[in-house]
Structures are given as C-alpha cells and as structure tokens.
Amino acid sequence: MVDVSAPPLPAAIQIEVTSACNLRCAMCLVRYRPPVNKISGAMSLAMFRRVLDDLPDVREVTLQGLGEPLLAPDLLAMVRHAKRRGARVGFNSNATLLSPAKSRELVDAGLDWLHVSLDGAGPAGYEAIREGASFERVVANLRGLVAARAAAGRVTPWIRVVFVAMRRNIGELPALVELLGAVGVEELRVQNLSHTFADTDPAGAYADIRAFAADQALWTGADRAAADEAFADAEGVAERVGVHLRTPRTEATEGRTGRCTWPWDSAYITSAGVVQPCCMVMGDDRVSLGRLDERPFAEIWAGPEYREFRHRLAGPGEPPEVCRGCALYQGTF
C-alpha cells in the first residue's frame, strides 16, 4: 500500500472551472440548488495557474465540475496554459454551447479530449432529463466538432459520449449507439448514477437528489436484468457500427477491493478553491480537505485532513461516510 501520509504530488488534477450551468439536469445537484452566476461561479485564471504551477509533474488536467465548462470566461486560456505545461487536457460538456466557432477554437487550442453528455436517442427522452437542452442542437454540435477536427487535420480532441443510465432511459441505449456511429463518435461510455447520497440526512439539503437516486438507480434485481439486456443489445450494435462501448457493472462488489485510489493519485478542486478527495462527492459542503485561499495545495495534500481520509479509506474499518454510497467505491460506476 502507498504511504497514506505522504504520497507524491499528483500528476493528474480535476478542476471545476465554473460552478455555473445553463441546464437543470434531473440527476445533477445543480438542479437542486439556486442558480449560480457564470461570473461569480467561475474560478479565476490566477488561481488556476497557481494550482498547475504548484504541481511540477502534472500530466493530465480535467476542467470539469458541477458546472458547464463552456460558460467559464477563461476556458481557452486555461486549456492553453495546461498545454504549455505539457499536460493532456479535456473536459465534459453538455455541448449545447458548442458552436462551430467554439469547436474550431478548442481544436486550435490543442484540446486532447471532449466528453459530451447525451442520455437519450431522441428529443423526448433526452430533453426530459437535460432540462433546457435541445437534442437536435447537441447532435448538430457533435457533428460540427467532428468536422472541425477533420478540417484541421487532427485526431484530437478524442470524442466520447457519456450516457448516464437510469430506469427512465436504459431502453434507448442501443439506438443511441446506432446514432453515434453515424455521427462519427469514437466512444460511448455508459455510467450509473454517481452516488446514493445515503450518508446525508433524508430530510436535509440533499433530500431531493437522494430520493431521485433511489427512484432511478439501476441497482435492484429487476433493473439489473433490464440493464444487462440493454447492454448486450447495445454491444451488438457497437460492434457493427464501430463505436467503442464501455458499460458499468450493475451489482455492487462485496467487501473492500482497493479499487479507489483517487486520494493518492489525484484531487478535485471546486471553483471556490475547496480541495476534495475526488469528483464523485458532489457538493463542497460534504467534505473539505482544505481551501486554497488559506493554504497552498502542496500543504493541503500533505496535511492532516488528507492523511486521515487516506487512512480511513485504506484501513480495515469503515471508509469515510461520503464514500459509502459512491458508485466508484461500490464498483458500479
């Protein structure tokens, strides 16, 4: 086991460049919180540069959090700064703002990957989940990104579509694979809901999203059968149309497996500068290992809060409460 007290500074980092979003998606914490202004919710370019410049061996930078990265005022400058540091850089997007001009700018800036959220094969199902989005616009923007990359004669950014599997949309998966093959997308990653929020107060601030997860998660016996059938059908289509498909487990792994290495390998930093152990937490009030406006990252990384968190996650006892309902910890993400 890696020394829980003093691992090397991470070579990968995930930074929430904005907490503002233009959508109110059914499974996202943003829906259950007051809207965030895109200016006040943005991480400053100065803080972003300070984080990267404090990581001498950084090789991978993910510009992603609860917000929509394309709303970040300094997004292109952040991509370019990460590239100057020799790092691979990319982010997730709902792609509603991915205009042809923005696609060209991102390709020219050297973006290495772009993951686009698309949770349905048609307008009705998708738009009921991603409230405020247009299915046709997102598909058109995906085509535009593929075209911009081709026009520049590049193979990057690598394009992956991410499908959040739920009871309400699992049946649409095979048709989505068919569509992506026609668009020219290389990869589809299917993932389960990220967290049960079972560690939160059932009547507290996370009550609504906790209830949503309980209603929509594919974790019961009947749901597993339906999901496995949809996954099998989708895999057949993927092989035919040339899309790389990754599907998750639908049953939690019993016991500790040691699969989660986030607190040793990487960190998640919110737009306000709160350092958290991973991106799966959702909500900067759920756990904080330090704040960048109080201490530099290297000091937080080696500090007592991080050491205690690593000790509990790696030890023989119960993990930190925030980890218990995590799909990554359970092996179902």
Side-chain angles (χ1 to χ4, degrees):
M1 172 59 71
V2 178
D3 183 351
V4 298
S5 62
L9 286 170
I13 195 78
Q14 182 162 339
I15 302 173
E16 181 186 56
V17 293
T18 181
S19 55
C21 193
N22 60 327
L23 302 184
R24 309 290 285 179
C25 301
M27 63 293 201
C28 182
L29 186 63
V30 169
R31 182 184 184 91
Y32 307 97
R33 294 289 183 269
V36 176
N37 180 275
K38 74 174 186 177
I39 301 300
S40 61
M43 174 178 281
S44 71
L45 184 58
M47 178 180 285
F48 177 84
R49 286 173 171 165
R50 188 167 72 247
V51 171
L52 263 59
D53 294 347
D54 284 346
L55 296 173
D57 298 319
V58 67
R59 292 294 176 267
E60 184 168 302
V61 180
T62 302
L63 310 177
Q64 178 62 38
L66 286 175
E68 166 52 50
L70 291 175
L71 287 173
D74 296 310
L75 178 65
L76 287 171
M78 291 170 170
V79 171
R80 294 185 181 113
H81 185 71
K83 296 300 294 182
R84 284 195 296 269
R85 288 293 316 280
R88 296 181 67 254
V89 59
F91 59 89
N92 286 31
S93 174
N94 59 46
T96 58
L97 304 175
L98 189 64
S99 65
K102 183 62 68 177
S103 287
R104 290 191 295 270
E105 290 175 336
L106 290 169
V107 170
D108 290 344
L111 192 74
D112 290 286
W113 76 86
L114 183 63
H115 299 170
V116 173
S117 300
L118 193 57
D119 315 295
Y126 167 78
E127 291 169 10
I129 293 170
R130 301 271 172 181
E131 184 178 319
S134 163
F135 178 81
E136 300 300 339
R137 178 183 297 172
V138 170
V139 173
N141 289 348
L142 262 176
R143 294 184 189 276
L145 178 61
V146 172
R149 187 181 60 181
R154 298 188 180 181
V155 296
T156 56
W158 175 264
I159 304 170
R160 171 194 286 173
V161 164
V162 178
F163 176 96
V164 180
M166 297 172 280
R167 288 172 176 160
R168 65 197 297 176
N169 69 347
I170 189 63
E172 297 191 39
L173 184 59
L176 177 62
V177 177
E178 189 86 47
L179 172 64
L180 297 182
V183 170
V185 171
E186 295 95 345
E187 181 179 358
L188 172 60
R189 180 187 176 113
V190 181
Q191 65 186 47
N192 280 315
L193 294 176
S194 62
H195 215 289
T196 66
F197 296 92
D199 59 300
T200 63
D201 180 356
Y206 289 82
D208 289 340
I209 195 168
R210 175 174 171 159
F212 180 87
D215 181 64
Q216 288 295 319
L218 299 174
W219 293 323
T220 70
D223 291 321
R224 284 201 299 270
D228 289 341
E229 181 179 356
F231 294 164
D233 290 345
E235 285 164 1
V237 177
E239 184 174 356
R240 175 168 54 80
V241 301
V243 172
H244 178 70
L245 175 65
R246 182 270 189 192
T247 57
R249 288 173 52 90
T250 52
E251 185 174 5
T253 302
E254 293 295 330
R256 187 185 303 279
T257 66
R259 82 188 130 265
C260 182
T261 61
W262 255 95
W264 290 267
D265 299 338
S266 186
Y268 176 77
I269 301 173
T270 74
S271 59
V274 176
V275 179
Q276 297 188 305
C278 73
C279 69
M280 304 290 283
V281 170
M282 283 209 283
D284 57 12
D285 59 331
R286 280 160 60 71
V287 59
S288 173
L289 302 176
R291 297 186 59 97
L292 294 179
D293 56 1
E294 297 173 353
R295 291 180 287 166
F297 179 81
E299 186 176 323
I300 295 170
W301 181 255
E305 297 91 345
Y306 244 121
R307 292 200 304 269
E308 174 63 17
F309 195 93
R310 295 184 189 109
H311 175 75
R312 292 186 62 193
L313 188 57
E318 289 293 323
E321 288 187 3
V322 75
C323 299
R324 296 175 193 173
C326 171
L328 186 61
Y329 181 80
Q330 296 293 333
T332 58
F333 191 62

